[in-house]
Amino acid sequence: GGHTLNASQNAWNETWKLGVRGADYLGLGDEVNSSSLSILDVTRPNATLNSPANNTYSNVTPVNLTVNLTDESSGIKNATLYVTNTTSSFNVTTVTNFVVDTLSSTIGIVITFVDGVFKWFWNVVDQAGNIFTTGNYTITVDTTNPLISFTTGTAANASNLSQNWVFVNISLTEINLKNITYTLFNTTNQINTTTYTTNTLTINFTSLNDGVY
């Protein structure tokens, strides 16, 4: 009948030989040796996106996209950053200058963006050829200031009004709105500040005393 022998070795990139000898009670036996056996690294490396955080908004175009890399056995061989916009690939850059047997590293590549929405991720390969790909992070780059102007219904500058309220209506051009803040001053103090996180283009300041605003 057949017999099995199990042995566990976890050293990476080493070559072993297996020998088996059989003998009976009379001392008669035989021996067989195998050809070389290679122990391979079959564990994938790992990578965690570091910064900037997912769904970041940036008002500057150079942004450092960083990642934490780890590997258990053979070491990191290379890592590639992929950046895409809504229609196509924007940048692909590979880092290869890892020291032999590097098991952990934090690296980053500075990408000069243009305005738009981008997804980015890293792909890491170890010395044995195992591959790991991270999920996607999103970054929105917006270097354009909002455009605001007073429009219909807003009193002209330096108006004299017989009323106790001030109505404001604005026109706004902005594709990545965070908030709108309206502030009313008199000649000495800040009377009211109201912030909206929605596209609220009008406000009416009421119950005002006589004065200059």
Side-chain angles (χ1 to χ4, degrees):
H3 298 278
T4 61
L5 172 67
N6 294 320
S8 176
Q9 297 290 340
N10 56 15
W12 149 248
N13 203 24
E14 291 188 0
T15 300
W16 300 72
K17 289 184 178 294
L18 175 65
V20 178
R21 176 177 175 80
D24 60 19
Y25 288 106
L26 299 177
L28 301 175
D30 194 12
E31 181 176 323
V32 62
N33 292 310
S34 75
S35 58
S36 62
L37 301 173
S38 296
I39 298 179
L40 301 179
D41 173 9
V42 296
T43 303
R44 294 192 305 166
N46 196 17
T48 304
L49 299 182
N50 188 12
S51 66
N54 193 23
N55 296 318
T56 289
Y57 286 82
S58 175
N59 61 2
V60 295
T61 54
V63 180
N64 190 17
L65 306 180
T66 67
V67 63
N68 298 324
L69 307 174
T70 59
D71 187 61
E72 292 184 358
S73 301
S74 60
I76 300 164
K77 181 178 182 180
N78 63 66
T80 302
L81 170 65
Y82 294 86
V83 183
T84 61
N85 58 22
T86 54
T87 59
S88 61
S89 175
F90 183 77
N91 183 281
V92 178
T93 304
T94 299
V95 178
T96 59
N97 58 341
F98 293 99
V99 176
V100 174
D101 296 328
T102 296
L103 298 182
S104 66
S105 181
T106 298
I107 61 172
I109 295 175
V110 177
I111 301 298
T112 301
F113 286 97
V114 296
D115 283 13
V117 180
F118 300 86
K119 292 187 182 297
W120 61 281
F121 64 93
W122 282 85
N123 179 282
V124 57
V125 181
D126 67 16
Q127 297 290 344
N130 300 304
I131 300 171
F132 179 85
T133 302
T134 69
N136 293 323
Y137 270 13
T138 298
I139 180 170
T140 300
V141 178
D142 182 359
T143 61
T144 304
N145 290 326
L147 298 177
I148 306 173
S149 61
F150 293 114
T151 187
T152 305
T154 305
N157 190 31
S159 295
N160 291 311
L161 305 174
S162 298
Q163 59 193 46
N164 67 349
W165 47 270
V166 173
F167 177 76
V168 178
N169 184 20
I170 65 169
S171 172
L172 172 65
T173 302
E174 174 55 54
I175 61 174
N176 297 304
L177 179 66
K178 182 178 182 180
N179 58 61
I180 302 172
T181 298
Y182 296 91
T183 305
L184 180 69
F185 296 87
N186 63 15
T187 55
T188 59
N189 296 304
Q190 178 177 308
I191 304 302
N192 183 286
T193 297
T194 301
T195 298
Y196 297 100
T197 57
T198 58
N199 194 34
T200 303
L201 303 181
T202 63
I203 190 171
N204 194 19
F205 299 103
T206 61
S207 303
L208 302 176
N209 297 322
D210 290 352
V212 178
Y213 296 90

